Amino acid sequence: MPWRSILLTLVIAVFIISGFFEAKPQVLKDSETYGAETLYASAAGRPEAVLTDLEVIAHRGANNFFNEHTLTAYEIASEADADSIEIDLRMTKDHELIALHDTTLDRTTTGAGVPEEFTLNEIKQFDTVAVFGQKTYKEPVPTLEEIVTAFKQEEHYYIETRLVDGETKMEEPLINLLQENDLLDPKYVSFQSFSKESLKKLQEFAPEIRSTLLYGTDKFDLEDGLEADADVIGIESRNVTKCVVDTLHQQGKEVHVFFTDERTQLVEQQRVMMYGVDGIFTDDIDFTKQVLKE
Ligand code: G3P
Ligand code: CA
């Protein structure tokens, strides 16, 4: 064979082999080594990743841009076109519902102590506080009433209830507030809780509203989830496998996923999207929407 033919054959072989390897799906093993660009590229190479009906839930509002659980964080989430804004509830000493994640005011506000020991008036003396770049931002802790007054029927509110002093004290005022604001409708609201007792009480008041039973990291139990009286099962990403998703789907339950490790969240979002989960509690709305678009 003349040397030109040999060279041509070699070049063609290299093209074929490199094309073969490129077409292979990327196996994500060490999630911390992948950045956003790699993920976009990987999603683009896998058309099955396109899940246009996945619910993009703004976890604590757009908390990557502004203080979590503030009107501004919810406004940014709304403008980013998230499907739902997620609101963690706490109750004040005078039984007002406020948006606050932690059991105490310490991490996210200028105050300290447990919110149940302060009146709303006292909590309003504090501010949420967070640093973005070089700048410190402050904004009051919002009440649920202030949030729904701001967004009315233009948002879907994905509300997480908690037990107050071990009891179901916030469910009735929550239902009343939603009713007074014409929001007690599956179009506008979903409920979620780690407490089965709380969800049960909410279902008694408003059985038509979608309910999500949450499981803490490594507390998820598939048998329990399958039997749970909830439309959606909320699981931390590390406990999400394809088998878990498929089994819950077969039982008619949706799967929504939340994340507790910011270092792995983006690659974990992509991984669970591949399994066909139904909702993502995202800390980066733009990223989640971008992966869906690719
Ligand atoms: O509500 C879903 C997710 O937010 C649960 O975790 O602790 O952020 O409320 P957490
Ligand atoms: Ca939550």
Side-chain angles (χ1 to χ4, degrees), residues 72-101:
T72 301
Y74 295 133
E75 182 60 43
I76 297 169
S78 183
E79 287 186 7
D81 218 13
D83 297 311
S84 301
I85 53 172
E86 198 243 351
I87 304 169
D88 291 309
L89 286 186
R90 297 277 171 198
M91 196 176 225
T92 65
K93 191 175 176 182
D94 49 349
H95 311 299
E96 296 290 338
L97 296 172
I98 58 170
L100 184 80
H101 176 268

Side-chain angles (χ1 to χ4, degrees), residues 240-261:
V240 178
T241 63
K242 183 151 189 343
C243 173
V244 161
V245 177
D246 289 348
T247 310
L248 287 166
H249 280 170
Q250 278 160 20
Q251 193 76 6
K253 296 195 186 300
E254 292 192 13
V255 181
H256 290 184
V257 183
F258 61 93
F259 306 85
T260 55
D261 186 343

Side-chain angles (χ1 to χ4, degrees), residues 43-140:
R46 292 195 265 185
E48 71 271 27
V50 180
L51 302 164
T52 48
D53 56 353
L54 180 132
E55 184 171 332
V56 180
I57 307 150
H59 188 229
R60 309 181 195 175
N63 74 79
N64 54 333
F65 284 111
F66 202 76
N67 312 18
E68 67 181 52
H69 289 319
T70 55
L71 289 176
T72 301
Y74 295 133
E75 182 60 43
I76 297 169
S78 183
E79 287 186 7
D81 218 13
D83 297 311
S84 301
I85 53 172
E86 198 243 351
I87 304 169
D88 291 309
L89 286 186
R90 297 277 171 198
M91 196 176 225
T92 65
K93 191 175 176 182
D94 49 349
H95 311 299
E96 296 290 338
L97 296 172
I98 58 170
L100 184 80
H101 176 268
D102 294 4
T103 51
T104 72
L105 295 153
D106 301 34
R107 180 183 61 91
T108 56
T109 81
T110 53
V114 295
E116 293 82 2
E117 288 178 2
F118 294 90
T119 63
L120 178 60
N121 216 2
E122 287 166 339
I123 283 178
K124 285 293 187 183
Q125 309 306 309
F126 309 132
D127 271 320
T128 66
V129 59
V131 178
F132 292 90
Q134 303 295 313
K135 218 171 152 200
T136 301
Y137 294 86
K138 292 186 176 179
E139 192 172 300

